[in-house]
Structures are given as C-alpha cells and as structure tokens.
Amino acid sequence: WDTYEWVIDSGQRSGANWVRLVFRPNANDFAYATQASFNEYDAIVKELRSRKLRVMGCVLDTAQWPSSLTPEIYSARAKNLALHYKDQINNWEIGSEINGNWLGGQRNPLSPEQAARIFMAAASAVKNLDPAPETILTLYWWEGTAPDEEHSLLGWIKKYGPRGVARDVDIVALSLQPEDNPVGLALERIFESVHLALPNKRLMLGSFGYVESDELKGFWWLHPSDVDGARKDLITLLTPAACALDSSVGGGFWWQTLDQMLPPGRR
C-alpha cells in the first residue's frame, strides 16, 4: 500500500486530475465474479476519489489479452467491473489500442475480426447495464508503419466502422508513440481524419510516450541524445494541443508513467 500511496501522491502533485486504472488479468477469477478479486482495487479507488482524482477504468490492457479470449468471457468481465464500481467509476476504456497486431500474443494473435467482435460485445454489455458511464475505444496511430492496411488506424476504422464497432462508444482515444510512429505536424490531421470517419464521437488523446527504456531505438524527437528533454517537450506539446482540437475532450496519459516515475531500484 505504501507504493500505491506514493504513486497517488506523486500523480496528484504533478497536477493530474484523472487516473487510468488497469485491472490485472487475474488468472484465478478472470471475469471478476467474486468480491475477493476487488479488495485491493476497492482501496485504490476509494483513495483516488478522496483526492478528487477522476478514474478511468481499463477493463484489460490489450497487451494482456489472451489468445483464448472470447466475446462472452470479455463481456462478462466488463459487466462485472462496471457493476461493482457503479457510481464510482464513470469512464471505462473497453479496449486499448484495439487495432494492434499483438492482441492474443505473438505466437497465436487474435485476428482484427476477432478483436472487433470481442470489443463490441463488452461495450454493449457495459452500455446495457447503464448507459450513463462513458465508454472509450482507444486506437493506435501507426500509419506508414503498420504491418498492413487492416491494422492501420484509418484502415481499421474504414473496415469495422460500417459494421457498428463504435455503436456503444462515447469517446475514441488516440494512442501516439512518436518513437515508433512519427506524429509531428500530423497531429491535427490525425484527429480531423478520425472525426470525419466517426463524426458522432468525441475524441481524446489516449496514451502517449517516448522511449520505454533509456535507449532510443526508433525515430527521434528534436534531439536524439536528450531522451528526457524530448519527453518533456512531448508532454508540453501534446497535452495542451489535444485540448484545442475539434471534438476533443483533452485527455492524455503517459504510457510509461509507473516505470519512469519510480526511483531506480524501487519495485
């Protein structure tokens, strides 16, 4: 608990007013069907709310989606989480970077078709339970670097948008990782393109980050020898810019927050 409290204190001091809380896979109770699975999270949510920090719950980060995941299993998980935290968590990220090619793992990945069906079932389950909480779909920007058109952000929307993939979605969040997929002056165009493709949805800056470790291996931002400076530049550029874009609600969370804010050696 000391670590959680330290992280919450640090986040609050940073000026943040919301937190993305990801629920672990939980091998013993994947669907979160028992009270015991919530005990640790209940304390965290209570503390966050007492600090006036708004919580966006993430049903399960897609980097942790198993290859055996089905619409039925995932929708049960989403429904149980939303039911347990009714009136406490009013924003649910149903799927993060849903158009990635890593869902299900590298050995036996889920197809884009499977991922879309799983997401739709869970979003529908949450909305049918209570239409008031906001549901969020996060998509990954990697035009020009995606393995194929179907996994690209706009290619994915073009294929699955007409099938109603965003029917039960209130907000579409965009994940930007400039080290791997350059953004630069394309930021406004990215938001405009998604707005044109999904005109009835609000948008937000979802996850963004730069260099997971200390070594830059991909594209560089401003100066390749100053990774920490580049991170600060991106935060001061993308966070306020997201607030100014059409149909955007702002947002933005640093992808490697927990790893990079903890002092060296602290676990």
Side-chain angles (χ1 to χ4, degrees):
W1 174 253
D2 288 345
T3 299
Y4 288 127
E5 193 169 37
W6 181 87
V7 170
I8 292 170
D9 283 341
S10 299
Q12 190 174 36
R13 286 198 304 271
S14 76
N17 60 4
W18 69 287
V19 171
R20 177 181 184 257
L21 179 61
V22 183
F23 290 83
R24 67 186 180 91
N26 196 350
N28 296 323
D29 182 20
F30 184 84
Y32 280 77
T34 62
Q35 173 58 43
S37 297
F38 291 102
N39 291 340
E40 184 177 30
Y41 290 102
D42 284 351
I44 296 172
V45 171
K46 182 179 179 180
E47 182 67 17
L48 289 169
R49 286 171 55 82
S50 74
R51 307 286 191 97
K52 307 301 182 184
L53 291 169
R54 187 168 182 170
V55 181
M56 181 178 81
C58 176
V59 176
L60 179 64
D61 194 274
T62 46
Q64 298 175 315
W65 277 26
S67 59
S68 59
L69 195 60
T70 66
E72 293 75 20
I73 294 173
Y74 196 58
S75 59
R77 177 188 175 97
K79 182 178 180 180
N80 288 338
L81 287 169
L83 182 62
H84 183 84
Y85 290 109
K86 183 177 173 63
D87 300 325
Q88 296 182 66
I89 297 179
N90 297 312
N91 309 79
W92 286 101
E93 185 183 25
I94 308 298
S96 65
E97 302 179 341
I98 203 74
N99 60 313
N101 65 343
W102 52 84
L103 284 70
Q106 297 295 333
R107 291 186 177 181
N108 188 27
L110 296 166
S111 68
E113 178 80 31
Q114 289 174 301
R117 287 192 291 106
I118 291 169
F119 171 84
M120 291 174 66
S124 177
V126 171
K127 276 300 181 187
N128 287 336
L129 178 67
D130 183 356
E134 293 176 328
T135 49
I136 296 127
L137 161 65
T138 300
L139 295 172
Y140 187 57
W141 158 260
W142 56 342
E143 261 46 5
T145 53
D148 52 56
E149 177 69 12
E150 190 173 4
H151 283 93
S152 70
L153 186 151
L154 296 176
W156 191 90
I157 292 176
K158 181 179 179 180
K159 180 169 183 177
Y160 296 104
R163 302 186 187 187
V165 72
R167 179 178 55 246
D168 295 304
V169 170
D170 296 303
I171 298 174
V172 176
L174 302 176
S175 177
L176 310 174
Q177 303 295 327
E179 176 197 2
D180 299 316
N181 319 292
V183 179
L185 296 176
L187 178 66
E188 188 171 1
R189 184 174 296 178
I190 294 168
F191 274 74
E192 286 179 349
S193 298
V194 175
H195 175 61
L196 288 173
L198 300 170
N200 298 321
K201 306 301 175 184
R202 286 170 292 158
L203 307 178
M204 69 175 279
L205 175 62
S207 66
F208 67 105
Y210 186 74
V211 190
E212 292 197 23
S213 57
D214 293 325
E215 182 183 355
L216 176 59
K217 298 179 180 179
F219 302 96
W220 55 272
W221 175 264
L222 295 185
H223 200 291
S225 64
D226 188 3
V227 170
D228 191 52
R231 289 170 177 159
K232 293 175 183 176
D233 288 333
L234 284 166
I235 289 173
T236 56
L237 170 70
L238 295 182
T239 305
C243 298
L245 297 172
D246 289 342
S247 301
S248 175
V249 298
F253 64 87
W254 192 257
W255 176 246
Q256 305 95 352
T257 296
L258 188 58
D259 294 334
Q260 293 174 1
M261 77 188 294
L262 288 173
R266 183 166 185 167
R267 302 186 65 80

